[in-house]
Amino acid sequence: MESLKDNKKRAKARDTFNLAMLDGMRGIGRYDLPELEPFNGPADSEPLPFNEAQLLYSKQKSLKGYFVHFYINDDRFRCLYNNPERYVDMLRSADFIVAPDYSVYRNFPFPVIIKNVFDNRRLARFYQLRGVNVVANVTWITPESYSYIFDGQPRGSVIAVNSNCIPVRDTMAVNLWKHGYAEAVRRLEPSLVLRYGRKIEGEETLFSAVRHFESPYFKFLRHGR
């Protein structure tokens, strides 16, 4: 029989690892990645990174006309993991959000990759369950990741795909991105792809229903403003 002390210890561990976030979620595949619902609402809003959304919401208490994304440095939205409930009202006020994007680089140790994939997915589902419109953020690493990386992602939905960190002169990185993009389209059959970041040569032959957004950083490099 567990003692009161054991129960308190278990409850503290549950709080430490935010396990309560998993309540009401259905896990899919080998790693029990939370399953996301599809989103097929209007997707013509303007992009707003999470850190700028925080500032705008503090001033006007609404993000109507925008969608919030997390294609920024991970440390700028670590606060989501630490206190996800705090941002529910803010994110619900946006037209929709793109699911969080904790990094999954191919040189990361696998335990770090799978933890970040899991955290991205459970935060996305957490916000769906609280009335936030969420567009799936579809990522991949190498073909070996295909056995789990698409588990729980919605089919026939609007999805978002990022290419910000793909060095266009790195042939291997570009080919891995294009191969994964083709695989994502094949498996998920999206209704629309929100493409964020630099265009990758040849990607237009892989899927045509695309709305493209250029990163402000690369836009500045090209236009100087």
Side-chain angles (χ1 to χ4, degrees):
M1 184 180 220
E2 287 189 324
S3 67
L4 181 60
K5 183 177 180 180
D6 289 334
N7 286 335
K8 287 183 177 179
K9 185 176 181 181
R10 178 171 294 185
K12 184 175 181 180
R14 181 175 168 85
D15 291 342
T16 299
F17 294 104
N18 286 341
L19 297 184
M21 285 174 60
L22 298 174
D23 293 345
M25 298 185 190
R26 178 173 178 243
I28 300 294
R30 181 179 179 184
Y31 298 107
D32 281 334
L33 298 178
E35 183 179 32
L36 301 185
E37 295 178 355
F39 173 82
N40 279 302
D44 54 356
S45 311
E46 291 302 307
L48 191 66
F50 176 72
N51 55 313
E52 293 182 18
Q54 289 177 287
L55 181 60
L56 184 60
Y57 186 76
S58 70
K59 295 178 178 178
Q60 62 185 40
K61 299 303 180 186
S62 174
L63 299 176
K64 185 174 177 56
Y66 295 98
F67 73 85
V68 178
H69 68 80
F70 300 88
Y71 297 135
I72 52 179
N73 291 338
D74 291 18
D75 59 356
R76 291 190 173 186
F77 58 98
R78 183 60 58 186
C79 54
L80 272 190
Y81 178 86
N82 295 331
N83 191 357
E85 197 74 51
R86 177 181 179 182
Y87 302 97
V88 169
D89 288 342
M90 183 187 88
L91 297 178
R92 194 189 286 138
S93 76
D95 294 349
F96 62 91
I97 72 169
V98 171
D101 187 54
Y102 292 121
S103 299
V104 288
Y105 295 115
R106 68 179 190 267
N107 62 342
F108 278 10
F110 181 73
V112 175
I113 289 174
I114 199 63
K115 180 186 184 302
N116 284 355
V117 170
F118 188 85
D119 286 344
N120 288 337
R121 206 67 59 76
R122 70 168 169 170
L123 280 165
R125 184 62 180 144
F126 174 87
Y127 287 117
Q128 279 189 335
L129 291 170
R130 283 152 184 79
V132 179
N133 292 322
V134 178
V135 166
N137 174 43
V138 178
T139 61
W140 53 88
I141 306 99
T142 62
E144 289 73 25
S145 71
Y146 301 168
S147 64
Y148 65 87
I149 201 78
F150 302 115
D151 289 345
Q153 295 282 37
R155 291 172 59 90
S157 173
V158 178
I159 65 172
V161 173
N162 176 38
S163 63
N164 263 351
C165 296
I166 305 301
V168 294
R169 292 184 177 86
D170 184 337
T171 302
M172 177 181 288
V174 169
N175 287 339
L176 285 172
W177 186 92
K178 287 169 68 174
H179 192 278
Y181 185 40
E183 186 69 10
V185 166
R186 185 184 73 81
R187 292 191 184 218
L188 302 178
E189 300 177 336
S191 58
L192 175 71
V193 174
L194 302 180
R195 269 287 290 112
Y196 192 84
R198 279 182 169 178
K199 288 185 178 179
I200 303 297
E201 185 177 358
E203 69 169 278
E204 67 279 355
T205 66
L206 302 175
F207 192 70
S208 59
V210 174
R211 185 177 178 215
H212 187 263
F213 301 90
E214 188 174 28
S215 161
Y217 172 73
F218 292 117
K219 187 184 292 186
F220 175 80
L221 289 181
R222 289 200 307 114
H223 301 295
R225 54 188 172 83

